[in-house]
Amino acid sequence: MLRKVAAPRDSRQDRSGKKAGAAQAAGETRAPETTQVLRRVGAPRAAEPGDPARTEAASPSGAPDPAGPTTRATGAATRGHGTQAAPGTGTTTGTPSEGQPAPGDGEGKGKAKKPKRPKRTGWRRIIPTWRMVLGTFVIGILLLVGLFFLGYSLVKIPPANALATKQANVYFYADGSQIARDTRDSQINREKVSLAEVSKDAQHAVLAAEDRDFYSESAVDPKAMLRAAWNTATGKGKQSGSTITQQYVKNYYLGQEQTLTRKAREFFISIKLDRNKSKDQILEGYLNTSYFGRGAYGIQAAAQAYFGADARDLDPARAAYLAALVNAPSEYDVVAHPENKAAAVARWNYVLDGMVKKGWLSESKRAGMKFPMPKEQTVSTGLSGQRGYLVDAIKHYLAANNILDADQLAAGGYRITTTIQKDKQDAFVKAVDDQLMSKLDKKNNPKDKYVRAGGASIDPKTGKVVAMYGGIDYVKQYTNGATRGDFQVGSTFKPLVFTSAVQNGSTTQDGRTITPNTVYDGTNKRLVEGWSGTPYNPENEDQKSYGPITVTKATDLSVNAVYAQMAADVGPSKVKQTAIALGIPSDTPDLYPSPSMALGTATASVLDMTEAYATIANHGKHGTYTLIEKITKDGTKDVSLPDQPVKQAVSREAADTTTSILQSVVDNGTAVAAQQAGRPAAGKTGTAENDTAAWFAGYTPDLATVVSVMGQDPVTAKHMPLYGALGQPRMNGGGPPTEIWAQYTRTALKGTPASDFDLQLQQGADQPQPPTTGSSAQPGTTGSQNNGGTTTGGGPGTGGATMSPSGGTTTGTPTTGGAATGGDTTGGTTTGGTTTGTPTTGGTTTGGDPTGGDTTGGDTTGGDPTGGGTDAGGAADGGGTTGTTAGPGGGPVT
């Protein structure tokens, strides 16, 4: 075919390399720019004579074109170069471009060869191409689809787990008889209800708290799962990202372990379950399996545990609180953890706001709501009496010793045989009832409402807890009196100070070794010497002064001034170390190393004190107490128990010498009521500050037992003084606590032959240790009496004299130990190995160390020689209390 070709401009060179200006120089006329030349486009053909397309173009003058050669017909075939008209000519000839095929190179068919793609070099080689990205994406999608179908086909819906169909834990006495079934089993703590029996408000509250789009979403929410994973990874808080369906699958079919395998199974089971069950069925199952705290599994049990109501009667406020508990059952119980109330209220508001947002609750109704305080926790009657206290102590022991944790116990199926001996347990309960509870008159005496008791008994040879008293009834008073640690132990701590003194070979300020016969100054409010801390001058019981007094007698009478000084002499830090070695926990509140610790400011539990005294009774050998004999899982598999290594906590001499002075407390001191046990015994009474608790800690060679009577307001739980309880002026350790101990010990050891203590005393323990000349506690010095009288003589040495009841002078001959015994008296006779003075009418007691009951041969008028105690023949025990109590005769108690 032919097409027009525009003439070239004069500035352009032709293809032959000649300039157009040459033609103009020869006088040729330039072709106008509008001149057009037709050229044929097509396959080249051979030139023929006379063919216009193949002949040279003549110039207007008829002369040959000076530009040279004839225009080649092949110019039209060149790629990218058309034939152009040269200046003054009709056509020009084009040459093939570099790298393009020349005429006759096979391009006759009109198809050009494609260029090769350049290779990727440099950094471009590491960037995947879009083809690679697309291919990887497609392959990944195929793999995911394949894995999904594989997982879906392999994972089956399993049977319900053990927690969903929960078994009970069963607790047994040492003889195999049953103590209790744990209340956390399906028969007691879970009451399954249908969805129709749950109020709409309760349903909506749970949905608002856990999964607001439950009815419209699928079984799983990958977007929420990814969001939760991201928030957890970036520190925005742990989130489950699970739907209610997934949570139900976890609760009912699987477990609580946080593993990828469990999450994968949960994912596929949820999808299958969503195809097999309706949304209502899944929600019903979720409401019946969720844990709400207080041992309550399911919404019905929770409604009863927190509000005493049925699930059908829950209003929005109470329902929102229960829904909030699902997120953190233990933390959001504002009764058990009042310190977390702000967090619980915030969660409660979150639930209610969600209900409003979803249209389940009107804004006007929401605005008028107040936070509903749940009721105090109550316990099923299955744990009434002492059973609940025992189960509570056992669970604490299992957790503290890393035997079973709360989750394992919650799974159930354990049979736990304890060390508790049923006959001794029954004897303990009866002793408390006989000596204390049966004597209370709560109707007519308000102070009797404050009385509580706690006790524990350990076999010192084995470390096994054989009996425990927690309170009157676990259902009524669920705080365990045996394990609580919030009452001061009083003077029951003093023997631990003396044990430390012997263990460390301690001496007094003037260099005398501390033994049972070492003489101290028992003056009331005497400033403690050798203590670099805040000056300390403790008061004795009833602010009574004793002057020079031996350690044994100071222990009998529980003299605070003596033991505070002794603690300073030993070193408070050493005293604390000894207490810990004997069994007192190192984290016991107020176990602060200072002289005041000797008075029992620490708040160890009854069980802790029993362990310490059992160590002393066992000649200083300590084995951590145990409550467990054996544990089996599902009745067959044994659970391993920790070893109970026994070590020598203190030397035998230190422990046995302490026993020797504690025997004197029972024989001559504040614990004479313990003699009713009918066998050799040692022990110490104690009274907490302000008489909020009275203690007796005692032991025989076969049994160590501690009893405490405590005062607590049943409404506010505040510690209360026991003045006036049982109709008595005060509650002393030598009273009900010692009487309970004596009855229990007598019954518990009935049939066991009585045995004496086998003691190895410290060297020089039976020798007197009088103070050196010029010391603050010289024999024969005068000690101050707050009642206006004077105490003259009475200490070890010669020349001590006492005033007889008739006003005469009693001359005593000192014996080993320093007390005047066996001497002839004028106007009175002394017995019992200790010279004592008895006040006459209007008179003042003077002379030796008053025991308040060992004096015979004189009538006592105008004053009670018991020192304020209620014990028969016993002096009042110390423990930090102050003040003067009038005796029955109207005079001051001494």
Side-chain angles (χ1 to χ4, degrees):
M1 61 180 290
L2 299 178
R3 73 174 181 177
K4 295 179 181 180
V5 180
R9 297 186 309 189
D10 59 341
S11 62
R12 189 176 298 172
Q13 297 181 359
D14 61 14
R15 297 297 179 182
S16 65
K18 305 297 183 179
K19 295 182 178 179
Q24 295 176 356
E28 297 176 329
T29 304
R30 178 187 177 196
E33 293 187 9
T34 57
T35 303
Q36 298 178 343
V37 179
L38 297 177
R39 70 169 178 170
R40 184 180 301 275
V41 179
R45 57 187 178 85
E48 297 178 1
D51 189 345
R54 301 297 179 180
T55 60
E56 297 178 352
S59 65
S61 60
D65 186 352
T70 305
T71 303
R72 293 194 298 269
T74 59
T78 61
R79 182 175 300 172
H81 295 278
T83 303
Q84 296 179 341
T89 65
T91 60
T92 60
T93 306
T95 60
S97 300
E98 183 180 354
Q100 299 301 326
D105 288 345
E107 293 291 331
K109 296 182 181 181
K111 183 177 181 182
K113 184 177 181 182
K114 292 184 179 179
K116 294 182 179 180
R117 184 178 297 108
K119 293 183 177 180
R120 297 162 61 88
T121 60
W123 60 270
R124 290 184 177 87
R125 290 181 299 176
I126 64 175
I127 300 178
T129 66
W130 66 271
R131 291 183 179 87
M132 296 171 63
V133 173
L134 179 61
T136 302
F137 178 76
V138 172
I139 293 173
I141 292 296
L142 293 176
L143 285 174
L144 289 175
V145 172
L147 289 174
F148 175 82
F149 282 104
L150 178 64
Y152 187 83
S153 61
L154 292 178
V155 177
K156 308 297 181 184
I157 298 179
N161 63 29
L163 184 61
T165 57
K166 196 172 180 316
Q167 302 178 65
N169 294 317
V170 187
Y171 301 86
F172 300 94
Y173 289 108
D175 63 2
S177 58
Q178 182 174 306
I179 298 175
R181 282 183 171 268
D182 195 342
T183 57
R184 292 186 179 184
D185 62 38
S186 57
Q187 296 179 350
I188 298 177
N189 286 85
R190 178 185 290 115
E191 182 181 350
K192 186 176 180 180
V193 293
S194 66
L195 195 61
E197 295 175 279
V198 180
S199 71
K200 282 293 183 181
D201 288 329
Q203 297 179 38
H204 292 154
V206 172
L207 293 175
E210 299 297 317
D211 191 357
R212 298 177 182 180
D213 298 320
F214 169 71
Y215 277 97
S216 60
E217 69 186 3
S218 59
V220 295
D221 187 353
K223 182 179 178 181
M225 295 170 67
L226 291 174
R227 181 176 62 251
W230 172 257
N231 289 339
T232 301
T234 55
K236 295 182 179 179
K238 292 184 177 181
Q239 298 181 13
S240 68
S242 299
T243 63
I244 277 183
T245 303
Q246 289 174 277
Q247 293 183 57
Y248 171 57
V249 168
K250 178 181 67 175
N251 291 342
Y252 191 76
Y253 295 104
L254 302 176
Q256 304 300 316
E257 65 275 8
Q258 297 295 325
T259 62
L260 290 176
T261 301
R262 197 269 295 166
K263 292 294 293 184
R265 294 184 66 205
E266 175 189 301
F267 180 86
F268 290 113
I269 294 172
S270 297
I271 295 175
K272 286 191 173 184
L273 195 69
D274 197 47
R275 297 170 60 89
N276 297 332
K277 289 188 176 183
S278 67
K279 291 288 187 180
D280 282 350
Q281 288 176 314
I282 293 173
L283 179 60
E284 177 183 305
Y286 177 75
L287 292 173
N288 281 308
T289 56
S290 295
Y291 182 59
F292 292 83
R294 295 192 178 185
Y297 289 86
I299 190 72
Q300 171 65 16
Q304 287 289 340
Y306 288 91
F307 299 110
D310 290 326
R312 68 170 73 249
D313 299 323
L314 290 173
D315 55 23
R318 293 184 296 177
Y321 177 72
L322 294 181
L325 287 170
V326 177
N327 184 256
S330 60
E331 294 182 16
Y332 291 161
D333 186 340
V334 295
V335 173
H337 298 283
E339 69 277 9
N340 294 338
K341 184 176 180 179
V345 173
R347 182 69 179 174
W348 177 74
N349 283 321
Y350 168 80
V351 175
L352 290 176
D353 291 343
M355 295 174 70
V356 172
K357 185 175 181 180
K358 296 295 294 184
W360 297 326
L361 179 66
S362 67
E363 292 187 6
S364 59
K365 192 173 182 179
R366 161 73 177 92
M369 287 186 182
K370 294 182 180 180
F371 183 78
M373 279 297 293
K375 66 175 185 175
E376 290 281 343
Q377 182 176 1
T378 56
V379 185
S380 167
T381 55
L383 292 182
S384 61
Q386 297 301 307
R387 290 175 291 180
Y389 298 120
L390 293 175
V391 171
D392 176 73
I394 292 165
K395 288 181 178 179
H396 181 270
Y397 176 86
L398 293 174
N401 290 275
N402 298 317
I403 300 173
L404 294 173
D405 59 30
D407 290 339
Q408 290 173 307
L409 281 174
Y414 292 97
R415 296 173 64 86
I416 301 170
T417 302
T418 72
T419 59
I420 302 296
Q421 298 178 18
K422 192 175 187 306
D423 58 341
K424 291 182 173 60
Q425 180 68 26
D426 293 342
F428 214 145
V429 174
K430 189 174 189 305
V432 176
D433 289 344
D434 291 347
Q435 301 297 331
L436 182 66
M437 298 302 175
S438 64
K439 299 178 180 181
L440 298 177
D441 186 4
K442 296 182 180 181
K443 183 177 181 181
N444 299 312
N445 185 2
K447 298 298 180 68
D448 284 352
K449 296 179 181 179
Y450 301 152
V451 175
R452 295 192 177 195
S457 186
I458 293 179
D459 183 338
K461 297 183 177 65
T462 64
K464 295 179 179 179
V465 181
V466 296
M468 181 184 297
Y469 185 90
I472 188 172
D473 192 328
Y474 187 67
V475 175
K476 299 176 182 178
Q477 298 175 356
Y478 61 83
T479 300
N480 194 332
T483 58
R484 67 186 301 172
D486 56 339
F487 281 91
Q488 291 179 337
V489 300
S491 293
T492 58
F493 195 86
K494 286 174 179 163
L496 279 59
V497 178
F498 179 76
T499 301
S500 186
V502 180
Q503 173 70 17
N504 291 285
S506 302
T507 60
T508 62
Q509 294 295 305
D510 55 3
R512 293 169 292 126
T513 301
I514 299 175
T515 71
N517 289 301
T518 301
V519 176
Y520 271 94
D521 185 354
T523 301
N524 182 52
K525 290 189 176 182
R526 175 184 177 275
L527 185 67
V528 173
E529 299 177 2
W531 169 241
S532 60
T534 303
Y536 183 56
N537 55 338
E539 295 180 357
N540 292 331
E541 179 82 359
D542 296 325
Q543 301 189 33
K544 184 175 182 179
S545 288
Y546 296 92
I549 189 171
T550 65
V551 169
T552 297
K553 185 56 66 175
T555 308
D556 290 348
L557 304 176
S558 201
V559 181
N560 291 340
V562 171
Y563 269 93
Q565 182 62 58
M566 189 187 299
D569 294 343
V570 177
S573 295
K574 291 181 180 179
V575 173
K576 180 176 179 179
Q577 292 173 3
T578 300
I580 294 171
L582 291 172
I584 303 300
S586 59
D587 59 351
T588 298
D590 298 320
L591 187 64
Y592 180 76
S594 72
S596 63
M597 71 190 307
L599 278 59
T601 56
T603 57
S605 71
V606 170
L607 187 57
D608 293 335
M609 294 302 294
T610 309
E611 183 176 352
Y613 272 74
T615 303
I616 297 174
N618 195 32
H619 309 294
K621 292 181 180 179
H622 175 257
T624 304
Y625 79 88
T626 178
L627 273 166
I628 305 300
E629 287 280 10
K630 181 180 180 182
I631 302 177
T632 59
K633 171 67 173 175
D634 296 328
T636 56
K637 182 180 178 181
D638 287 344
V639 176
S640 60
L641 299 176
D643 294 331
Q644 300 293 335
V646 177
K647 62 181 180 180
Q648 195 74 41
V650 296
S651 68
R652 176 165 183 170
E653 289 76 14
D656 288 359
T657 306
T658 301
T659 296
S660 71
I661 64 172
L662 294 184
Q663 282 184 283
S664 179
V665 175
V666 173
D667 293 338
N668 309 301
T670 58
V672 292
Q675 296 175 13
Q676 298 172 20
R679 58 185 62 228
K684 183 70 185 74
T685 57
T687 308
E689 191 173 6
N690 296 323
D691 280 6
T692 56
W695 296 68
F696 179 68
Y699 53 92
T700 70
D702 304 301
L703 202 59
T705 306
V706 177
V707 179
S708 179
V709 177
M710 298 161 279
Q712 179 176 331
D713 190 304
V715 178
T716 65
K718 180 182 178 181
H719 292 190
M720 300 299 294
L722 291 173
Y723 299 120
L726 294 175
Q728 300 176 358
R730 71 196 318 169
M731 179 78 68
N732 284 316
T738 305
E739 294 162 356
I740 292 169
W741 182 94
Q743 179 178 327
Y744 161 72
T745 301
R746 182 176 64 250
T747 306
L749 295 179
K750 186 177 182 179
T752 302
S755 58
D756 291 324
F757 290 103
D758 178 19
L759 305 180
Q760 295 180 9
L761 304 184
Q762 72 176 131
Q763 187 176 1
D766 56 349
Q767 300 298 319
Q769 291 286 332
T772 59
T773 303
S775 76
S776 61
Q778 297 180 35
T781 58
T782 300
S784 171
Q785 282 278 37
N786 290 336
N787 59 14
T790 60
T791 301
T792 306
T798 305
T802 64
M803 297 299 296
S804 70
S806 61
T809 301
T810 301
T811 303
T813 302
T815 61
T816 301
T821 60
D824 295 329
T825 65
T826 303
T829 302
T830 62
T831 62
T834 304
T835 302
T836 61
T838 304
T840 59
T841 303
T844 302
T845 301
T846 62
D849 302 330
T851 62
D854 294 336
T855 301
T856 61
D859 296 329
T860 300
T861 60
D864 184 2
T866 63
T870 57
D871 319 330
D877 57 273
T881 58
T882 61
T884 301
T885 303
V893 175
T894 59

